[in-house]
Amino acid sequence: MRQSILFTKTQKEAPKGEVARNAILLIRAGYIYKEMAGVYAYLPLGLRVFRNIERIIREEMDAVGGQELLLTSLQSQAVWEKTGRWSDDVIDNWFKTKLVDETPLGIASTHEEPLTNLLTHYASSHRDFPLYIYQFQTKFRNELRAKSGIMRGREFVMKDLYSFCRNEEEHAAFYARMKEAYTNVFKRVGIGEQTYFTYASGGSFSKASDEFQTVTDAGEDTIYIDEETRFSINEEMLDDEASLKKFNLSKEKLVAKKSAEVGNIFPLGTKFSEAFGLMYRDESGNEKPVIMGSYGIGLGRVMGTIVEVCADEKGLRWPHEVAPFSAHLVRLGDSETVLTAAEKTYEELLRAGKEIFYDDRKGVSAGEKLADADLLGMPMRIVVSEKTIAANAVEFRDRMDRRVSMVPYGEVFARIGT
Ligand code: ATP
Ligand code: MG
């Protein structure tokens, strides 16, 4: 992609009223646009990062046998009455609306009820299960505070998967596979090292849940880590002696860190299947309720967390698998020689199947172009200038470790991933 045609521009100044570092950098770099507090649009470069995160999650969900669908944002009161969760006293951050004839509607904040209800129309035999169903869907939540940029949106896309199993063993086996799948996701998006499997409370669904928490000062949670085992426990469970004992944790060994919940997995038991009558007949014809689990990841939460963990004082730094482009080709100078060499390099890299962002803008100073490349944060910067042409090479710079090297022209392709 040519930078000259991109409608977004970088900004030197931090946007007014924005306090979250992830949002400040992403807005300055033109990755997102703030519509209002907690509500952000994804612009072309930001959308490429978002899509990469989505692709990684989708690949991991498909690998464990997930089936993707897309549920609705408008939800029925009758469906939610079945579990008693329609009331604002139970879910306090729900946006609701009304049809012209005054019929109340819910605006999706989660999907346990509609999906369980939907499945009663399709599955009833032991042969129909297990089922693992997921979606990437916009959730709306009237969050009290929206000061964490895209890490806490009032409108945000979540990957939510729900599992439907026939017995506890089947459920436990799948739960363990999801734990692996989540570990893969966070490793692939570039925050594996900072992300800890965390024992947490279960809220309204169950006694306990498991969270994936990424260590960052921008997080709203506190976890206590045992570095030896990489196991951690959420602050909310720290005073629960039974939990400490269960996981063989001693308080003195644990180190407190601020963290962001990037994903969580929950056993749901039979609460929803019983409410909707999602039963199956086993081989002997006995009716049994399905055992459920739910598994969420917020895409904006993950993208914001990557920014918080990876960015430096000059700007964004994208891990390779989520970067909008593998490399930023920067042309310094507008002379005929430089123009020809840079265009040739761009065309050849494209032909070799590389994803390249090409700064082909004319009349922009070298300093400004290099500062923009730092702010935009592609993993590799490739400079073509009078100087590099004279050396029959291009200059490479790794955005993560900042190492600079002159690479002979013939070796350029091998140095960039796709
Ligand atoms: P939190 O305690 O952070 O509000 P939650 O307990 O409400 O999270 P879930 O409802 O289980 O979280 O949502 C699953 C995942 O969706 C979370 O692990 C997180 O990654 C993401 N998520 C939750 N709320 C938001 C939000 N307001 N904006 C962006 N992502 C979110
Ligand atoms: Mg919440």
Side-chain angles (χ1 to χ4, degrees):
M1 182 183 217
R2 286 170 187 274
Q3 200 166 342
S4 61
I5 64 156
L6 191 69
F7 77 83
T8 59
K9 306 275 180 287
T10 58
Q11 292 164 220
K12 282 199 185 63
E13 300 303 321
K16 274 205 194 73
E18 183 60 71
V19 293
R21 191 167 84 116
N22 67 83
I24 290 172
L25 283 172
L26 289 166
I27 292 168
R28 281 189 51 216
Y31 280 65
I32 61 170
Y33 171 80
K34 184 177 190 168
E35 186 66 29
M36 62 185 97
V39 181
Y40 298 89
Y42 288 78
L43 305 177
L45 292 176
L47 187 60
R48 290 180 74 102
V49 178
F50 183 92
R51 291 276 183 246
N52 284 334
I53 296 169
E54 183 186 70
R55 173 180 48 76
I56 290 167
I57 298 173
R58 180 175 286 118
E59 284 172 9
E60 297 296 336
M61 295 305 106
D62 288 345
V64 294
Q67 301 183 46
E68 186 173 355
L69 51 52
L70 183 60
L71 296 171
T72 66
S73 291
L74 295 179
Q75 300 183 329
S76 133
Q77 176 178 3
V79 167
W80 283 83
E81 295 282 10
K82 292 226 173 157
T83 53
R85 291 213 296 167
W86 173 259
S87 160
D88 290 341
D89 299 333
V90 183
I91 299 183
D92 61 2
N93 59 8
W94 223 3
F95 288 109
K96 288 177 178 142
T97 187
K98 279 192 177 109
L99 294 178
V100 178
D101 72 3
E102 296 289 310
T103 308
L105 293 179
I107 302 177
S109 72
T110 183
H111 283 85
E112 286 83 3
E113 278 82 348
L115 180 58
T116 311
N117 181 54
L118 179 152
L119 276 186
T120 61
H121 296 271
Y122 298 94
S124 58
S125 155
H126 61 95
R127 283 185 298 272
D128 297 330
F129 295 98
L131 286 172
Y132 312 121
I133 300 175
Y134 76 96
Q135 62 176 343
F136 290 92
Q137 218 269 0
T138 303
K139 312 292 187 214
F140 299 87
R141 292 184 184 177
N142 204 345
E143 302 278 7
L144 198 57
R145 282 178 300 276
K147 289 192 166 16
S148 297
I150 60 169
M151 293 170 72
R152 184 174 295 285
R154 294 197 164 108
E155 169 182 336
F156 64 97
V157 174
M158 192 199 288
K159 183 286 300 172
D160 42 336
L161 185 147
Y162 305 89
S163 64
F164 303 86
C165 292
R166 288 168 293 193
N167 51 55
E168 281 298 344
E169 299 74 66
E170 197 167 69
H171 169 78
F174 183 72
Y175 199 82
R177 287 176 73 196
M178 279 303 273
K179 190 181 151 185
E180 288 299 311
Y182 270 40
T183 306
N184 293 342
V185 166
F186 298 121
K187 195 195 263 175
R188 288 179 65 186
V189 302
I191 52 176
E193 231 172 88
Q194 297 83 359
T195 302
Y196 291 82
F197 185 70
T198 305
Y199 184 68
S201 81
S204 58
F205 297 142
S206 63
K207 277 211 293 293
S209 73
D210 296 296
E211 297 173 340
F212 287 78
Q213 292 273 0
T214 308
V215 171
T216 163
D217 283 337
E220 297 178 16
D221 293 353
T222 300
I223 57 169
Y224 285 78
I225 303 172
D226 179 346
E227 272 300 350
E228 227 172 271
T229 58
R230 286 192 65 83
F231 189 87
S232 83
I233 185 164
N234 195 305
E235 185 175 39
E236 64 198 12
M237 300 296 271
L238 192 67
D239 293 321
D240 179 24
E241 290 298 333
S243 309
L244 290 173
K245 212 163 158 198
K246 183 170 167 199
F247 298 103
N248 202 12
L249 297 169
S250 67
K251 258 191 190 174
E252 305 74 60
K253 254 181 81 187
L254 302 177
V255 183
K257 293 267 168 72
K258 291 265 285 172
S259 64
E261 177 199 309
V262 284
N264 64 12
I265 61 182
F266 267 99
L268 298 179
T270 57
K271 172 180 162 123
F272 296 93
S273 50
E274 291 197 54
F276 288 95
L278 181 65
M279 316 288 274
Y280 74 95
R281 258 178 220 294
D282 68 11
E283 276 100 339
S284 344
N286 301 319
E287 277 218 317
K288 291 184 173 156
V290 169
I291 295 169
M292 291 174 54
S294 82
Y295 313 80
I297 299 181
L299 277 72
R301 178 77 59 89
V302 170
M303 182 165 157
T305 302
I306 296 171
V307 172
E308 297 285 351
V309 168
C310 300
D312 66 8
E313 73 289 348
K314 291 187 185 315
L316 301 165
R317 294 198 291 180
W318 295 111
H320 185 77
E321 257 209 89
V322 300
F325 293 91
S326 301
H328 198 160
L329 173 64
V330 182
R331 190 190 75 220
L332 299 185
D334 297 336
S335 75
E336 231 8 78
T337 338
V338 177
L339 214 84
T340 312
E343 289 288 327
K344 184 166 161 259
T345 309
Y346 180 54
E347 295 300 333
E348 285 179 2
L349 286 168
L350 285 192
R351 267 202 300 279
K354 310 292 183 187
E355 299 210 317
I356 306 296
F357 190 52
Y358 172 29
D359 191 349
D360 61 335
R361 294 174 301 169
K362 285 188 178 154
V364 178
S365 76
E368 214 171 311
K369 284 191 168 188
L370 296 176
D372 270 2
D374 277 341
L375 177 60
L376 293 172
M378 308 311 160
M380 283 284 183
R381 187 187 75 192
I382 308 171
V383 168
V384 173
S385 65
E386 299 281 0
K387 195 178 105 197
T388 68
I389 294 168
N392 195 26
V394 296
E395 184 205 273
F396 262 79
R397 183 170 182 272
D398 188 306
R399 182 68 182 87
M400 280 292 177
D401 63 18
R402 304 182 188 185
R403 266 217 296 273
V404 180
S405 52
M406 289 295 277
V407 176
Y409 199 77
E411 288 166 30
V412 169
F413 302 112
R415 285 289 296 271
I416 314 166
T418 43

